[in-house]
């Protein structure tokens, strides 16, 4: 749930994820996103929207989207796109449980764990 930045977030995610697509996009009268389904990968889909009321909470890293990348090239592409303007929580590296892993918040505050399985 975004606060007016859902359309920008959808543009980022569909640019960064090569197979991403948006379905059932509905706009409110003020141009915000009333709701949509974002398909990031064949196995990862999320429902997104802008929140009509302003609220004091935002996204938190305690809930993050975990993406298993097929190889390091895909990892680097996703990392570059999602980290641009964001916050790095764990920089790319080998943490012993994968070939390459990073945890970050994108510029919209959405938390991502990117992984290249061993």
């Amino acid at each position: 749930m975004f606060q007016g930045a859902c359309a920008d977030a959808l543009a980022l995610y569909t640019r960064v994820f090569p197979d991403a697509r948006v379905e059932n996009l509905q706009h409110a009268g003020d141009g915000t996103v009333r709701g949509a389904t974002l398909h990031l990968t064949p196995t990862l889909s999320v429902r997104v929207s802008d929140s009509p009321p302003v609220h004091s909470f935002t996204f938190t890293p305690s809930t993050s989207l975990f993406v298993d990348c097929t190889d390091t090239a895909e990892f680097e592409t996703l990392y570059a796109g999602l980290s641009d303007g964001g916050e790095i929580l764990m920089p790319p590296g080998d943490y012993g449980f994968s070939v390459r892993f990073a945890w970050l918040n994108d510029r919209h505050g959405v938390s991502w764990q990117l992984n290249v399985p061993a």
Side-chain angles (χ1 to χ4, degrees):
M1 185 170 50
F2 297 85
Q3 291 190 54
C6 189
D8 291 337
L10 289 173
L12 170 66
Y13 305 146
T14 55
R15 185 176 72 250
V16 171
F17 286 86
D19 297 325
R21 69 185 196 288
V22 177
E23 290 182 345
N24 305 316
L25 178 62
Q26 299 174 345
H27 287 96
D30 61 1
T32 59
V33 175
R34 179 174 289 149
T37 301
L38 172 62
H39 301 279
L40 292 164
T41 71
T43 59
L44 180 58
S45 297
V46 292
R47 183 89 174 129
V48 297
S49 67
D50 282 313
S51 174
V54 175
H55 45 76
S56 61
F57 60 88
T58 185
F59 297 105
T60 171
S62 65
T63 299
S64 57
L65 299 174
F66 195 99
V67 179
D68 277 325
C69 302
T70 56
D71 54 31
T72 55
E74 180 185 20
F75 175 96
E76 295 300 333
T77 298
L78 294 178
Y79 180 80
L82 294 171
S83 66
D84 183 27
E87 174 188 14
I88 308 307
L89 303 176
M90 290 176 73
D94 180 347
Y95 292 95
F97 53 83
S98 71
V99 174
R100 193 131 172 91
F101 177 85
W103 194 347
L104 61 100
N105 293 335
D106 69 26
R107 71 179 84 160
H108 301 289
V110 176
S111 188
W112 299 86
Q113 294 184 57
L114 305 176
N115 182 57
V116 179

